[in-house]
Amino acid sequence: TLKGRIYVLRDERPQVTLNLHFQLVCCNWLAQNMLARRASKIDCSTLFIPIFVLGIFWLQVLAETPPRPKRCGEFCSFEHIEGYVGPLDTTKNLQDALNRLSYKREIVVAHHAQLDFVYQMVHRWQRFGYGHVLMVFPDHVLCHRLEGAFTKLGCGWYEDHNDMAWIVNQGGGCKGCTDKWLIHYTGARAVRMGYNVLVADADTMPLYDFYGMIHSPPYNNVTLFNQREGNFNVNGGMYYIQNAARDGPVAYVLYDHILKNVRWFEDVTALRRGIGLRGDDSSTGINDGFLCNDQFSLSDSVHGAITGRPQVFECVFWFHPRRPDWEKLHLTMYSKTGPEGGEGFGPYSTITVPVPEPLRRGAGGALQGQMVTAQLRIPHARGEWPSERGGYPFSLQLGPLAKHVMEIFREAGGDAAPFPDPWDTASAAAADAVPPEKFAYFPPWIANTHSLGPENNGNDGWYNDHLTGEVPAAISHLHAGLTSGDFTKIVHFAVEVPYGWDFDVALRVAPQTAPYLGTEVHGRVPPLLAIAPGVMHRGLTQGDFAAMMEGLMRLALVLNRAVVWPWVPCEAPFLRKAGATYDPVVSGHKIPWSDYIDTTAAIPNGPETISLKVCTHPCFCLSSPLSHPLRLHPSFPPPPISADKHTQAHTHTYTHTLTRARSSSRLSFQHTSTTPNKNGRTDFVVW
């Protein structure tokens, strides 16, 4: 191989499964094509066929996961919507989009800056039956890339970057603010226009009839649902509004969430002074052009509507020079108000509600569960701006961007009353007169996270309802409890979630690329290096695996090839949970995985099989004993580093791994496998 020749080494064991046989055939076919190409300059497009087959067999998701029953209930919207691709700047633009996309006054507003996350989300939701999804971007580029890949598409952007400067020209250090603030802004406008809105990140997926559940008692009397983000905060990537009055508390919460940040973007000096800094002091991170973290800002707006007083605590807590005093002051005020203030639980009520029978797995099998709720009112300062709580946090003069936002929301409201100004003493009576609306945190059986709640959904395998016959939630959000690594969500979706990551759609969006992870932006097939099928066996020890991975990385360094990380049988002893007595070799596999598998070390591939009673079940290893993580990616592209953000991250990960390999003085690979070939060495496939 070092002299430019290509070898395909095969496992010599007589018992080879059909899948392994197909993979060996594909590897040999691929090598022969490459040799023929060198000899005769054949069209390199012939190489895509074996690589495509290998990609399918590597994941085995599309071929073997049984089709899911239709679960979108009475909101199977895909066949009923028209699709919309166009601008969203004006009220007319947004109304046109909603006319063509919404279904029964429902719309999903979503985003992501990376193309692969975007098209995979659109595909997941459309495949489920939900077509009323509007992806939002700062310009038209991603929308036009997506157009040809879907028969119907909801995709919008903002053309006037002057009016949208507070988002698209963000320079105040707010990580990820551009895309996140676009969905908050667009969703808030749609609520003001009278629509029910689900605001969702791209790492979400529907699993059951969300609308059928959320529109039924007792959930249908809640106007604003939010996922909980630790303590009392809310998550900015999963919230739902239904039946909100266009001039009511929930519509106001979303408006306040936008307007206060636009005002700070234009002039942040009053906010700095409010926490004891000079008006020009940006030393704590409150920079010119400041935008609050979107989740902190939304939390403050929700908390203000719950307590009845405007809040800016979360937005500036991390920038406050006297954080402990600030936190104690606010949390004391917050926890002692409301119906349960005496118990220190503040303005919340915990109620017992029935759990819908199809979703009881998400409540640990219980028939009933608890839901935390509160009343929302339009908050008002009543002319009091205590200096110890930040004083009046805004410039007295509205800037042009703030005026534009106010006009957009006035126009979107139609005949609805304008929102009372919570800082104007004359509007207190008007604020008090607005009827309250109800808030609740999503119960985990309605909307869950990857690894938090009564059921540890992803790590324990509950997404694989084709194996369990049970559904963990109506919607899931893969945002918590994931393994560390730059590309963790991609791998979790591909390995844990049936239909979570689709290779056909990847080829439709970018047909010039290879159909496996990590190559979407390259425009070519990178040289690959993989361990031959069958070498990773159920008797593998930790030392075997460490040596194989170290050797694979070193060989990749010498050959300048991208590593294809192998499956490891979940039965391997080194993947067993400490203290577990259950033996899958004897009894077969079961869910929850974490009863006997160390799910911090490997992800069992649930979508791969139609039965848990298989002889060998594949795991994707998250880390190795090499003292550093393998960073969760099935194939890392080789250097050089591209200017593309997506490629940089992949290459950075691969380069990081190779850098560690370079630091070792031993660059050759001499390892005897516990299932050696005739030469006593571990097999590799090189192509």
Side-chain angles (χ1 to χ4, degrees):
T1 303
L2 296 177
K3 295 181 180 179
R5 304 175 71 181
I6 299 174
Y7 298 94
V8 177
L9 305 176
R10 57 177 296 176
D11 181 35
E12 297 294 338
R13 290 181 299 162
Q15 294 182 344
V16 181
T17 67
L18 180 63
N19 275 347
L20 294 182
H21 176 73
F22 264 85
Q23 292 182 61
L24 288 171
V25 169
C26 288
C27 289
N28 279 283
W29 181 17
L30 180 57
Q32 291 165 11
N33 270 284
M34 293 186 73
L35 288 172
R37 177 172 174 246
R38 288 190 174 185
S40 62
K41 306 297 184 183
I42 65 171
D43 185 352
C44 65
S45 64
T46 60
L47 303 181
F48 281 86
I49 299 174
I51 291 178
F52 177 69
V53 176
L54 278 168
I56 290 180
F57 277 106
W58 183 79
L59 279 180
Q60 304 178 48
V61 174
L62 300 179
E64 298 189 25
T65 304
R68 278 178 161 162
K70 204 160 191 177
R71 292 173 175 163
C72 44
E74 296 182 2
F75 284 82
C76 300
S77 60
F78 182 71
E79 299 300 327
H80 302 280
I81 59 102
E82 299 177 45
Y84 176 84
V85 177
L88 302 171
D89 297 75
T90 67
T91 300
K92 182 181 183 304
N93 291 153
L94 183 55
Q95 187 63 69
D96 288 345
L98 294 171
N99 289 343
R100 296 170 62 88
L101 278 177
S102 66
Y103 184 66
K104 298 182 179 180
R105 306 292 291 182
E106 300 283 349
I107 190 71
V108 179
V109 182
H111 81 102
H112 204 285
Q114 292 179 194
L115 177 64
D116 52 1
F117 271 96
V118 172
Y119 63 66
Q120 293 292 351
M121 181 196 179
V122 172
H123 177 73
R124 276 195 304 273
W125 286 69
Q126 288 189 357
R127 181 171 188 157
F128 185 81
Y130 290 160
H132 56 287
V133 178
L134 174 63
M135 305 301 297
V136 185
F137 302 106
D139 57 42
H140 63 83
V141 174
L142 287 184
C143 287
H144 289 331
R145 288 199 64 181
L146 291 171
E147 266 189 291
F150 297 94
T151 58
K152 297 179 183 179
L153 177 66
C155 200
W157 63 86
Y158 287 87
E159 294 184 328
D160 190 336
H161 285 191
N162 291 322
D163 287 338
M164 298 299 293
W166 63 280
I167 296 180
V168 298
N169 295 336
Q170 171 53 217
C174 183
K175 182 181 179 182
C177 275
T178 296
D179 303 285
K180 294 282 285 189
W181 279 106
L182 286 173
I183 60 171
H184 297 308
Y185 177 60
T186 307
R189 292 169 62 199
V191 170
R192 179 70 166 162
M193 294 167 72
Y195 288 81
N196 294 349
V197 178
L198 176 64
V199 173
D201 284 346
D203 54 351
T204 56
M205 56 188 171
L207 301 173
Y208 198 72
D209 181 10
F210 171 75
Y211 295 103
M213 299 296 105
I214 211 75
H215 291 171
S216 300
Y219 310 104
N220 61 343
N221 68 350
V222 175
T223 307
L224 172 62
F225 277 102
N226 262 107
Q227 273 196 319
R228 197 165 185 164
E229 183 74 16
N231 55 63
F232 299 122
N233 280 359
V234 299
N235 183 274
M238 175 63 76
Y239 57 96
Y240 177 67
I241 301 96
Q242 62 178 343
N243 306 321
R246 297 170 76 171
D247 56 356
V250 171
Y252 173 79
V253 162
L254 304 180
Y255 169 73
D256 173 69
H257 177 44
I258 301 300
L259 182 61
K260 67 187 176 189
N261 281 278
V262 179
R263 297 182 72 177
W264 286 333
F265 177 85
E266 293 189 290
D267 188 348
V268 76
T269 55
L271 185 64
R272 289 172 179 155
R273 293 192 182 104
I275 61 172
L277 301 172
R278 297 190 317 273
D280 60 351
D281 186 350
S282 61
S283 62
T284 66
I286 300 181
N287 303 314
D288 292 339
F290 177 75
L291 283 190
C292 178
N293 172 282
D294 70 295
Q295 292 188 160
F296 293 164
S297 172
L298 185 58
S299 295
D300 274 340
S301 294
V302 170
H303 295 166
I306 290 174
T307 61
R309 295 297 176 100
Q311 304 288 310
V312 296
F313 165 61
E314 294 289 348
C315 273
V316 295
F317 172 65
W318 296 107
F319 308 104
H320 201 300
R322 296 182 297 277
R323 285 195 316 197
D325 294 340
W326 181 262
E327 181 175 37
K328 182 178 179 180
L329 174 70
H330 281 75
L331 292 187
T332 298
M333 179 275 297
Y334 188 66
S335 63
K336 296 301 180 183
T337 61
E340 299 191 24
E343 289 75 33
F345 198 49
Y348 297 97
S349 296
T350 302
I351 61 175
T352 300
V353 297
V355 180
E357 190 276 332
L359 303 177
R360 286 175 184 164
R361 171 47 51 201
L367 303 182
Q368 295 181 317
Q370 291 188 328
M371 185 167 71
V372 177
T373 69
Q375 288 283 90
L376 298 177
R377 294 185 176 275
I378 292 185
H380 207 281
R382 304 184 187 282
E384 299 175 358
W385 310 297
S387 58
E388 66 272 16
R389 291 183 53 227
Y392 186 70
F394 304 108
S395 168
L396 296 177
Q397 300 296 322
L398 289 174
L401 299 182
K403 290 178 180 178
H404 172 73
V405 166
M406 294 176 70
E407 176 58 22
I408 280 286
F409 277 86
R410 184 203 62 76
E411 187 178 67
D415 295 333
F419 294 119
D421 183 351
W423 309 99
D424 180 2
T425 55
S427 67
D432 292 343
V434 176
E437 293 174 327
K438 197 168 187 177
F439 164 85
Y441 294 109
F442 272 125
W445 55 89
I446 298 294
N448 68 13
T449 66
H450 173 265
S451 298
L452 299 177
E455 297 299 337
N456 207 352
N457 307 285
N459 288 346
D460 277 350
W462 292 113
Y463 290 138
N464 299 290
D465 53 272
H466 65 289
L467 301 177
T468 65
E470 300 178 281
V471 181
I475 287 182
S476 193
H477 184 192
L478 273 74
H479 79 102
L482 303 173
T483 309
S484 61
D486 293 337
F487 305 98
T488 177
K489 289 181 181 179
I490 294 177
V491 175
H492 280 286
F493 267 115
V495 179
E496 286 182 341
V497 180
Y499 310 114
W501 202 265
D502 190 283
F503 289 92
D504 282 341
V505 74
L507 284 171
R508 287 204 308 270
V509 175
Q512 77 279 10
T513 63
Y516 49 84
L517 300 179
T519 63
E520 188 271 320
V521 295
H522 297 287
R524 63 179 178 85
V525 181
L528 304 178
L529 176 68
I531 291 179
V535 173
M536 292 292 172
H537 58 93
R538 66 166 58 172
L540 202 66
T541 68
Q542 191 175 46
D544 289 335
F545 179 66
M548 289 180 185
M549 294 301 97
E550 186 176 359
L552 190 64
M553 288 186 286
R554 285 176 171 157
L555 188 56
L557 171 63
V558 173
L559 301 177
N560 193 29
R561 292 176 178 271
V563 171
V564 179
W565 302 121
W567 291 118
V568 176
C570 295
E571 301 82 21
F574 77 94
L575 298 182
R576 199 70 50 82
K577 182 179 180 178
T581 58
Y582 185 85
D583 188 351
V585 176
V586 175
S587 306
H589 287 278
K590 68 174 184 175
I591 289 175
W593 309 121
S594 61
D595 279 359
Y596 61 101
I597 294 175
D598 180 2
T599 54
T600 65
I603 307 176
N605 181 20
E608 183 271 343
T609 183
I610 59 173
S611 172
L612 290 170
K613 305 300 181 182
V614 292
C615 297
T616 299
H617 198 81
C619 271
F620 185 76
C621 284
L622 306 181
S623 60
S624 80
L626 295 174
S627 78
H628 70 286
L630 291 180
R631 298 293 187 186
L632 279 177
H633 217 262
S635 58
F636 297 120
I641 293 177
S642 164
D644 186 281
K645 176 183 177 183
H646 194 143
T647 311
Q648 279 187 6
H650 288 234
T651 307
H652 167 75
T653 305
Y654 184 57
T655 306
H656 167 75
T657 305
L658 295 183
T659 300
R660 295 189 64 89
R662 289 191 187 99
S663 67
S664 172
S665 60
R666 183 170 63 88
L667 289 177
S668 62
F669 179 63
Q670 298 287 333
H671 173 66
T672 302
S673 170
T674 52
T675 56
N677 60 26
K678 290 180 179 179
N679 299 319
R681 292 189 179 183
T682 301
D683 290 339
F684 288 88
V685 176
V686 182
W687 69 88

